[in-house]
């Protein structure tokens, strides 16, 4: 009988794409993939280390797996597994911990799947994570995450990602296009480009330190791949999002008018402390340029609250900066101290209660911004890609400019693109609509 494997992914889109690739490796070894809530012989948890919360959640996920099958083999991979392998290995029930270079060879480390008395650790020095493993997700959702780049050469003072994922390196352009064609052949309508620092694409391609191609060239090449209805750029640094890319997206049929651009702080003083590679004036320029050529574009923003040295005045400067900016929503991160980062040694530590209060204020601002953006789109015609889940009798989907809509459940709509007119916002903050024409497949 085939052995069963289940996966749980914490963290970012990049992790989802890598989990999917690891899952395909298991399938080729004869494993049957089941849901994490089902009984499996092996549970694989792909970890994240960006926030304190992700660390804490790991223990509860291990317990969840053990509840379903106390005899199951539990393996941890991913960023937290690279940064603190022994900490994970010491968690009761964990049998195997694999670091950055080992995770894609997980099936090589599985012998008889019998429980270990102690968690076994295989992790490299992060300097050894200098080769590239391509990944993409298929079958998990109606959109696919396509990894184009890994690692980061930036030295932001709060961030552990370079320690967890190594230097910036990229997939070859031909590989990316090949993966995009493979996704397209599976009748997946949307591809989201993902990586640690995707604007740095082309660095480390073929193992070279220099840029073989630019991100702009990648965007141009992907735009020509047949059969992809939508391409979405995930998070991209403001200093790496060039005017030529913005202008190209505005004219593209495949690339959608949606950008997610990390800001982290709306004050130059904090940006310098964080060692970000731009000042807030550049950020304003990026937003203005996008809105100039795509007035209907959706712009998401990452922001950190409670960073050391952030006084009430500096926080309010960030709040006011964001309030005045023509953006659509925020992802708010409450600063948490990470070992081996410069930020953890800085003075001016912000009390946790103050961090929580500031976080709540910005989350409230995000709700206001999203609603204002949605309201600005009422009455417009958009194309919705519907997803596959029945949520309390409704089907949800996203427009090209990332407006979330809902409609009474209809299985015929799953993974279809529909022309709609946006009509009203309901109490949940979701948009209702009228269909404009028959189902498109």
């Amino acid at each position: 009988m085939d052995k069963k494997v289940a996966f749980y992914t914490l963290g970012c889109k990049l992790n989802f794409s890598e989990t999917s690739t690891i899952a395909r490796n298991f399938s080729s070894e004869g494993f049957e993939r089941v849901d994490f809530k089902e009984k499996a012989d092996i549970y694989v948890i792909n970890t994240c280390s960006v926030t304190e919360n992700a660390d804490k959640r790991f223990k509860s996920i291990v317990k969840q797996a053990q509840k379903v099958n106390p005899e199951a083999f539990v393996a941890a991979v991913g960023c937290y597994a690279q940064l603190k392998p022994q900490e994970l290995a010491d968690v009761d029930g964990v049998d195997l911990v694999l670091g950055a270079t080992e995770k894609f060879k997980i099936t090589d480390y599985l012998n008889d799947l019998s429980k270990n008395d102690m968690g076994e650790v295989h992790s490299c020095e992060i300097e050894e994570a200098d080769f590239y493993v391509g990944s993409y997700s298929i079958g998990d959702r109606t959109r696919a995450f396509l990894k184009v780049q890994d690692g980061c050469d930036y030295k932001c003072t709060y961030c552990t990602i370079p320690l967890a994922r190594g230097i910036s390196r990229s997939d070859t352009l031909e590989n990316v296009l090949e993966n995009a064609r493979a996704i397209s052949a599976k009748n997946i309508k949307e591809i989201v480009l993902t990586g640690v620092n995707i604007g740095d694409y082309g660095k480390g391609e073929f193992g070279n330190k220099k840029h073989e191609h630019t991100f702009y060239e990648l965007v141009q090449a992907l735009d020509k791949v047949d059969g992809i209805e939508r391409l979405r750029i995930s998070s991209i640094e403001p200093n790496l999002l060039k005017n030529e890319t913005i202008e190209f997206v505005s004219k593209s049929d495949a690339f959608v008018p949606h950008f997610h651009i990390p800001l982290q702080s709306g004050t130059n003083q904090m940006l310098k402390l964080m060692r970000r590679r731009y000042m807030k004036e550049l950020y304003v320029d990026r937003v203005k340029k996008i809105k100039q050529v795509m007035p209907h574009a959706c712009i998401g923003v990452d922001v950190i609250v409670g960073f050391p040295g952030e006084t009430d005045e500096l926080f309010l400067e960030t709040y006011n900066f964001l309030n005045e900016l023509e953006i659509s929503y925020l992802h708010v991160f409450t600063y948490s101290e990470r070992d081996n980062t410069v930020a953890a040694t800085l003075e001016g530590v912000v009390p946790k209660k103050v961090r929580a209060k500031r976080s709540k204020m910005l989350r409230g601002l995000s709700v206001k911004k999203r609603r204002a953006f949605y309201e600005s789109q009422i009455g417009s015609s958009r194309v919705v890609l519907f997803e596959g889940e029945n949520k309390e009798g409704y089907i949800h989907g996203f427009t090209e400019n990332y407006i979330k809509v809902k409609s009474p459940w209809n299985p015929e709509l799953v993974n279809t693109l529909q022309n709609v007119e946006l009509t009203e916002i309901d109490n949940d903050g979701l948009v209702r609509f009228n269909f404009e024409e028959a189902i498109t497949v």
Side-chain angles (χ1 to χ4, degrees):
M1 197 173 79
D2 282 350
K3 297 276 188 194
K4 293 181 177 177
V5 61
F7 296 87
Y8 197 108
T9 306
L10 290 159
C12 61
K13 294 180 177 78
L14 181 55
N15 270 6
F16 276 98
S17 77
E18 291 184 341
T19 297
S20 208
T21 295
I22 293 165
R24 285 195 293 279
N25 294 344
F26 270 93
S27 297
S28 64
E29 296 278 341
F31 282 81
E32 180 195 341
R33 184 175 181 177
V34 297
D35 189 86
F36 201 82
K37 295 185 181 77
E38 293 177 44
K39 189 173 182 180
D41 300 286
I42 176 167
Y43 292 90
V44 180
I45 304 165
N46 193 352
T47 63
C48 169
S49 68
V50 170
T51 64
E52 211 172 7
N53 252 3
D55 293 4
K56 286 174 183 166
R57 281 187 65 197
F58 177 76
K59 286 180 186 173
S60 67
I61 295 159
V62 173
K63 277 183 186 161
Q64 195 181 317
Q66 286 187 301
K67 214 177 220 177
V68 183
N69 183 6
E71 298 305 308
F73 190 90
V74 177
V77 300
C79 291
Y80 190 14
Q82 173 63 36
L83 287 172
K84 298 195 173 178
Q86 201 52 55
E87 205 170 284
L88 293 193
D90 291 343
V91 172
D92 192 38
V94 173
D95 300 290
L96 178 67
V97 180
L98 298 179
T101 62
E102 293 80 11
K103 63 189 169 190
F104 293 107
K105 301 178 285 193
I106 182 170
T107 53
D108 296 350
Y109 292 95
L110 306 176
N111 298 318
D112 57 358
L113 293 187
S114 54
K115 298 289 287 174
N116 292 327
D117 294 336
M118 297 275 294
E120 196 180 305
V121 172
H122 296 276
S123 73
C124 63
E125 292 300 317
I126 198 59
E127 291 74 24
E128 293 167 35
D130 58 359
F131 58 90
Y132 188 87
V133 178
S135 300
Y136 59 88
S137 65
I138 272 187
D140 303 336
R141 299 160 182 240
T142 51
R143 66 175 76 94
F145 299 133
L146 172 57
K147 174 182 167 185
V148 300
Q149 182 274 344
D150 200 351
C152 189
D153 292 341
Y154 286 10
K155 300 285 188 286
C156 301
T157 51
Y158 52 80
C159 187
T160 57
I161 297 296
L163 300 173
R165 283 188 170 270
I167 58 170
S168 179
R169 55 208 188 272
S170 307
D171 207 348
T172 65
L173 187 58
E174 193 40 58
N175 262 0
V176 174
L177 298 178
E178 201 176 300
N179 286 341
R181 289 183 203 109
I183 293 166
S184 169
K186 302 271 187 187
N187 192 32
I188 288 173
K189 303 283 193 291
E190 179 174 310
I191 293 176
V192 182
L193 304 185
T194 184
V196 174
N197 187 358
I198 64 171
D200 201 27
Y201 175 78
K203 191 175 190 179
E205 193 184 346
F206 303 112
N208 301 337
K209 291 280 184 196
K210 65 184 180 67
H211 281 78
E212 197 70 30
H213 292 96
T214 62
F215 181 70
Y216 177 50
E217 287 168 338
L218 172 73
V219 164
Q220 287 176 302
L222 280 166
D223 197 58
K224 295 189 183 94
V225 175
D226 287 338
I228 303 170
E229 300 281 349
R230 282 184 177 179
L231 286 155
R232 201 178 290 275
I233 296 168
S234 66
S235 187
I236 182 166
E237 293 285 306
N239 52 304
L240 296 175
L241 178 58
K242 307 295 186 190
N243 281 349
E244 57 191 9
T245 304
I246 295 169
E247 280 163 11
F248 187 86
V249 167
S250 74
K251 297 180 180 79
S252 165
D253 288 331
F255 276 91
V256 296
H258 174 209
F259 297 87
H260 193 92
I261 314 168
L263 169 69
Q264 312 310 13
S265 175
T267 78
N268 288 340
Q269 188 177 328
M270 298 309 295
L271 289 172
K272 284 174 188 167
L273 273 177
M274 293 175 173
R275 288 194 199 150
R276 300 293 286 159
R277 297 198 175 194
Y278 53 86
M279 293 290 103
K280 68 179 186 180
E281 290 76 16
L282 176 101
Y283 200 93
V284 172
D285 285 349
R286 300 298 82 209
V287 171
K288 280 185 176 166
K289 178 65 182 175
I290 291 166
K291 286 294 185 179
Q292 178 196 332
V293 294
M294 290 170 275
H296 60 298
C298 178
I299 302 174
V301 183
D302 286 340
V303 62
I304 296 171
V305 296
F307 190 81
E310 185 185 61
T311 60
D312 286 345
E313 292 75 21
L314 289 170
F315 169 71
L316 284 173
E317 192 181 325
T318 290
Y319 185 95
N320 293 330
F321 177 77
L322 288 165
N323 193 28
E324 287 161 25
L325 212 52
E326 205 177 347
I327 54 168
S328 315
Y329 65 89
L330 304 171
H331 279 174
V332 183
F333 295 90
T334 306
Y335 172 75
S336 57
E337 286 78 2
R338 318 307 291 149
D339 290 343
N340 302 315
T341 59
V342 173
T345 67
L346 294 177
E347 293 177 359
V349 173
V350 178
K352 291 204 170 167
K353 275 188 179 172
V354 177
R355 295 182 212 182
K357 183 184 167 191
R358 290 176 186 173
S359 179
K360 193 176 176 184
M361 281 177 71
L362 281 183
R363 287 178 211 279
L365 179 61
S366 181
V367 170
K368 187 179 109 178
K369 285 284 186 184
R370 192 186 297 270
R371 185 154 191 118
F373 175 63
Y374 280 14
E375 281 172 355
S376 75
Q377 300 300 299
I378 296 298
S380 66
S381 295
R382 296 282 166 239
V383 180
V384 174
L385 173 60
F386 283 99
E387 302 193 333
E389 210 177 332
N390 182 342
K391 290 185 181 171
E392 297 174 359
Y394 285 93
I395 187 168
H396 293 89
F398 285 93
T399 63
E400 65 275 34
N401 59 343
Y402 212 56
I403 291 170
K404 193 173 185 182
V405 304
K406 67 188 270 192
S407 182
W409 172 252
N410 176 355
E412 287 181 22
L413 292 176
V414 172
N415 198 32
T416 67
L417 290 157
Q418 303 289 334
N419 286 323
V420 305
E421 184 199 358
L422 305 179
T423 56
E424 62 174 309
I425 303 172
D426 73 6
N427 294 334
D428 298 327
L430 300 179
V431 175
R432 294 178 185 273
F433 58 87
N434 294 323
F435 285 106
E436 291 194 328
E437 57 185 56
I439 290 177
T440 49
V441 177

